[in-house]
Amino acid sequence: FNQRTAPFGIMYLQTYDGVTVGCESCEELWTPKSSHIDMALNGVDIVGNGSGSHHELRKLHTRLDLVRSATSKCGGVYLYANQRGCDGGRLYFDGCSMIVCNGIVLAQAPQFDVKDVHVITATIDLDDVRSYRASIPSFGIQAAEAYCDDSGASKRRYVSCENDENVTLAERKVTKDGIVPKPSDLMEGGIKLRIHDAEEECCLGPACWLWDFLRRSGATGFFLPLSGGADSSAVCAIVGAMCVMVTKAAQEDPTGEVAKECRRVCRKESDDYHGDDNCLWVPSTPQEMADL
């Protein structure tokens, strides 16, 4: 953008067509005076949050309430991207990234999964954001107060990306197969949220943690002694759930990272590749992965 300097402080990025993008940190979403409030009052259309929120039982409800409340009060698009996996300690970060617009969840990534990355998308008409905010008179009054300082002069809080005159507006549009995507048809009611039962969380969270620890440590399996008591039986069930999830992911993508790690753990690396993707070894059942 031929930019040579950048101001310090909380700033926003404004693109050539007036779309303004801001970002708040993980913890700011949970505080009384969250950054997204000031951003919305200053006209920010899209707020991103790169979060590192670890799993706790029923914590997803709180995240959903916070993100939906942020955009239902202030309007706007909220891009919530959460960390996934085990970082070597006892914490497990359960992902479940979301795209929310005006209080409506348009896209949601799985909460528990053995894959490293999930990409979610949604097509949004930003005029819906502006229309939503304009329908709240009090929001307009507060936005006017936030936009001006005590002397009445405007407070410039964004960094502008100058327009390249050599590139036409039509060339800048993101298209697929030459077709401009339409705004999401789900805007009215959003998607059906995927929320696990408490019992499922107790099983799937530790199962994902076990797989992440197994592959990151370079180990080739677990030794599971069974006493017949409740503790070893619960651990056995969690390991079984891990095998189910890994087997399913490996079968869906035999060339993916999960399948490669599965072959390493099961000592099938010699079967890794012979020029034909259909010949790659993957467990046919969870029992085969567990060597039962």
Side-chain angles (χ1 to χ4, degrees), residues 138-192:
S138 298
F139 180 90
I141 296 172
Q142 294 179 15
E145 293 174 348
Y147 188 73
C148 299
D149 57 22
D150 294 337
S151 65
S154 64
K155 296 182 289 186
R156 189 173 184 272
R157 299 287 299 277
Y158 59 86
V159 177
S160 179
C161 299
E162 298 297 331
N163 187 15
D164 184 351
E165 296 180 355
N166 296 322
V167 181
T168 65
L169 180 62
E171 291 174 325
R172 290 181 182 269
K173 289 184 178 179
V174 179
T175 65
K176 182 178 180 181
D177 301 326
I179 301 174
V180 179
K182 295 181 180 179
S184 175
D185 295 330
L186 300 171
M187 270 298 291
E188 296 225 356
I191 63 170
K192 183 178 180 181

Side-chain angles (χ1 to χ4, degrees), residues 26-270:
C26 168
E27 191 178 41
E28 289 175 331
L29 176 62
W30 302 71
T31 57
K33 192 177 180 181
S34 301
S35 297
H36 66 258
I37 299 173
D38 182 62
M39 292 181 193
L41 293 174
N42 279 275
V44 173
D45 302 297
I46 303 171
V47 177
N49 187 328
S51 184
S53 180
H54 63 274
H55 173 248
E56 292 178 0
L57 193 62
R58 316 317 283 160
K59 189 177 182 181
L60 178 59
H61 290 75
T62 306
R63 291 189 205 133
L64 280 167
D65 289 343
L66 287 170
V67 175
R68 286 193 292 193
S69 174
T71 56
S72 62
K73 288 191 304 181
C74 301
V77 180
Y78 203 99
L79 309 179
Y80 179 82
N82 191 31
Q83 183 179 347
R84 178 189 295 283
C86 158
D87 64 351
R90 295 193 176 191
L91 293 179
Y92 176 71
F93 298 88
D94 54 335
C96 203
S97 300
M98 292 173 278
I99 300 175
V100 185
C101 180
N102 298 340
I104 300 173
V105 181
L106 301 180
Q108 177 192 13
Q111 184 179 10
F112 301 110
D113 198 273
V114 292
K115 296 179 181 177
D116 268 348
V117 177
H118 275 276
V119 178
I120 57 175
T121 61
T123 304
I124 299 168
D125 188 347
L126 290 179
D127 283 341
D128 289 340
V129 172
R130 292 148 190 168
S131 176
Y132 185 89
R133 288 174 173 171
S135 68
I136 310 173
S138 298
F139 180 90
I141 296 172
Q142 294 179 15
E145 293 174 348
Y147 188 73
C148 299
D149 57 22
D150 294 337
S151 65
S154 64
K155 296 182 289 186
R156 189 173 184 272
R157 299 287 299 277
Y158 59 86
V159 177
S160 179
C161 299
E162 298 297 331
N163 187 15
D164 184 351
E165 296 180 355
N166 296 322
V167 181
T168 65
L169 180 62
E171 291 174 325
R172 290 181 182 269
K173 289 184 178 179
V174 179
T175 65
K176 182 178 180 181
D177 301 326
I179 301 174
V180 179
K182 295 181 180 179
S184 175
D185 295 330
L186 300 171
M187 270 298 291
E188 296 225 356
I191 63 170
K192 183 178 180 181
L193 298 177
R194 299 185 296 273
I195 300 178
H196 293 281
D197 296 331
E199 294 81 1
E200 290 179 314
E201 287 193 51
C202 291
C203 180
L204 298 177
C208 291
W209 184 93
L210 283 174
W211 171 249
D212 223 34
F213 186 86
L214 185 64
R215 70 180 186 85
R216 285 172 180 258
S217 66
T220 55
F222 294 116
F223 176 67
L224 179 59
L226 296 174
S227 66
D231 292 344
S232 60
S233 299
V235 173
C236 183
I238 292 170
V239 172
M242 179 198 77
C243 292
V244 170
M245 298 175 74
V246 173
T247 299
K248 180 181 178 182
Q251 291 175 347
E252 290 176 350
D253 185 8
T255 63
E257 290 300 319
V258 175
K260 290 179 182 178
E261 285 296 326
C262 182
R263 285 190 283 274
R264 181 192 64 78
V265 170
C266 296
R267 302 177 185 85
K268 298 288 186 178
E269 287 182 294
S270 59

